[in-house]
Amino acid sequence: MKRILSVAMLLMLSLVLCAQEKDVTKFLGIPVDGSKAEMIRKLKAKGFMYDFKTDLLSGEFNGRKVKLSVVTNNDKVWRIMVQDDVYVNERSIQIRFNDLCRQFENNTKYMSINAEQTLSDEEDISYEIAAHKKRYEAVFYQKPATDFAEIIKEIVQSLAYKYNEEELANPTEEIKSEITELYFKDYISKKSVWFMISDYLGEYKILMYYDNGHNCANGEDL
């Protein structure tokens, strides 16, 4: 009887660990998941201060003073929004935007599907926003924790209902395209980290978003 209970406990522990290790977007090493209260507690442990009145956390991130907002859906955290604490002028925001792009490009934890996202020196940000409502943003994705070869193996196995062994062993361009689409949809797109320029009366700041696509609203409440 004790042996049976021990096995049951090990199985339960295994399930708990699997749930904890779910491959989701991370902010400062913290999974963007779980309850809001739990997330705030973890952020406070990182040195951020929580203000009950504004429901914001303040502190330092990537060398800047920032404010954080914890966003939930159905009581689960799906987004951490990071906003600069102060506004800056147009030239400063252009430099900051491009610096962030290069930092993400040089960080091996991230990948991008866009070749170039930096702004040229000739870009007239204030004019484009005022006249054309242009939105300046850059999108990156945290790489999956699972080995790439293992992911492709899982995707190929998932297509066994649709294609035979010969077709999967020697995939056509159409099948390769389907594998690529599934790779992005199921393993990449749900771990996005993106940022944009926010303007207010001719001054600018960066808003950055760490999103867990697994927890965001998909119309289930409609």
Side-chain angles (χ1 to χ4, degrees):
M1 185 64 179
K2 287 184 178 180
R3 183 179 179 82
I4 294 173
L5 288 173
S6 297
V7 172
M9 289 178 69
L10 285 172
L11 287 172
M12 289 177 66
L13 178 60
S14 176
L15 289 172
V16 170
L17 289 174
C18 285
Q20 290 176 340
E21 294 171 1
K22 187 169 64 173
D23 189 15
V24 300
T25 311
K26 291 183 178 180
F27 175 73
L28 291 175
I30 306 170
V32 181
D33 202 0
S35 70
K36 184 174 182 176
E38 180 184 13
M39 175 58 72
I40 290 174
R41 178 179 59 78
K42 290 179 179 179
L43 290 171
K44 287 170 69 176
K46 292 283 186 178
F48 289 91
M49 304 293 293
Y50 180 64
D51 186 333
F52 288 93
K53 292 181 180 179
T54 62
D55 195 26
L56 297 173
L57 295 106
S58 59
E60 187 173 308
F61 175 71
N62 196 35
R64 299 267 178 165
K65 288 185 177 181
V66 298
K67 286 185 170 59
L68 309 181
S69 179
V70 180
V71 188
T72 62
N73 174 52
N74 289 329
D75 297 324
K76 284 187 177 181
V77 177
W78 78 275
R79 165 177 284 176
I80 300 296
M81 185 184 81
V82 186
Q83 60 175 309
D84 290 347
D85 204 26
V86 297
Y87 284 92
V88 296
N89 61 35
E90 183 175 355
R91 180 56 181 159
S92 294
I93 203 65
Q94 184 184 53
I95 293 171
R96 172 142 167 70
F97 186 94
N98 287 344
D99 282 347
L100 277 173
C101 284
R102 296 187 185 98
Q103 286 175 356
F104 276 102
E105 288 166 0
N106 294 329
N107 192 320
T108 57
K109 295 186 298 184
Y110 290 89
M111 62 177 289
S112 172
I113 60 174
N114 301 308
E116 182 60 58
Q117 302 189 79
T118 55
L119 305 177
S120 70
D121 290 339
E122 291 73 34
E123 186 74 19
D124 191 335
I125 296 174
S126 59
Y127 173 76
E128 291 295 337
I129 290 177
H132 302 134
K133 308 297 181 185
K134 187 171 181 179
R135 177 161 159 162
Y136 292 95
E137 65 179 35
V139 183
F140 294 87
Y141 301 92
Q142 289 185 356
K143 293 179 181 178
T146 308
D147 181 71
F148 177 75
E150 286 298 317
I151 291 176
I152 297 302
K153 183 179 178 181
E154 289 177 10
I155 293 174
V156 169
Q157 290 175 342
S158 73
L159 294 173
Y161 78 96
K162 191 174 182 181
Y163 303 103
N164 60 42
E165 289 185 16
E166 177 63 25
E167 289 174 318
L168 292 174
N170 301 282
T172 62
E173 290 302 316
E174 182 180 349
I175 296 176
K176 288 179 181 178
S177 178
E178 187 171 353
I179 291 172
T180 301
E181 184 178 338
L182 288 172
Y183 173 68
F184 180 76
K185 175 178 175 289
D186 295 336
Y187 295 89
I188 302 297
S189 66
K190 297 184 186 301
K191 298 181 66 179
S192 65
V193 179
W194 59 284
F195 54 93
M196 61 178 285
I197 294 176
S198 174
D199 70 299
Y200 180 72
L201 299 178
E203 293 188 304
Y204 310 87
K205 67 166 59 174
I206 290 291
L207 303 182
M208 191 179 301
Y209 303 88
Y210 285 72
D211 292 347
N212 173 1
H214 296 282
N215 290 349
C216 71
N218 289 303
E220 60 272 12
D221 293 337
L222 298 178

